[in-house]
Amino acid sequence: MLTLFHSPRSRSSRIVTLLHELDAVDKVAIEIVDIARGDGSGRKDPQNPHPEGKVPLLVHDGVVIWESIAIIQYLTDLFPEKRMAPVAGDPQRGQYLSWLAWYAGVVEPVLVMQAAGVSHPFVDFTFRSPTELAARLKAALADSPYLMGERYTAVDLLLHSPFAWYPAATPDSDVVKAWVQRCGERPSLQWTADYDARTETAA
């Protein structure tokens, strides 16, 4: 039994998108819950088993998996047929895992600091500067349409997502902007937008 706890138009929307890419929407029960949001709306939902009231949260046969990176890795391993991630033993597996970790350890902290207007040498030294983040993406995309090469994978879904939510943070680079647009044109994203709109209305 697989259950995803999801709040429309939140970080868990990209997990719904991943389920669509994996052709696994019908294999996972999606429970809609409320969350406390940055604008002061929402609340911590008692129906959400996440200890901090956050989403996404995945429960598989009673085992709780939290954090987007862990859930993405778990689901792509569980449903490998659509090749959204290299399987264990694939030469590209290490690169895939590194991109996932880089998102959590570098991309989110840097973009949050940038949005908050926080700039300090300690922050840049620890997490990288926005300029360094942009340079890394630009280099990775210089000769290929996606971060792992010719094929769209879960790392593209994950790493493009903050730029979709916060376009002002998109690096001023033609190749990066083209990648963000390319990822944003995936039918799965429109499917998720429609799904979120329906579930919000129903709520």
Side-chain angles (χ1 to χ4, degrees), residues 131-149:
T131 301
E132 290 172 305
L133 185 154
R136 183 67 186 278
L137 288 174
K138 184 177 179 180
L141 295 163
D143 298 315
S144 60
Y146 299 109
L147 292 171
M148 297 284 293

Side-chain angles (χ1 to χ4, degrees), residues 157-177:
L157 187 158
L158 176 65
L159 270 83
H160 112 279
S161 64
F163 304 118
W165 280 95
Y166 182 43
T170 304
D172 188 16
S173 160
D174 289 343
V175 295
V176 176
K177 289 178 180 177

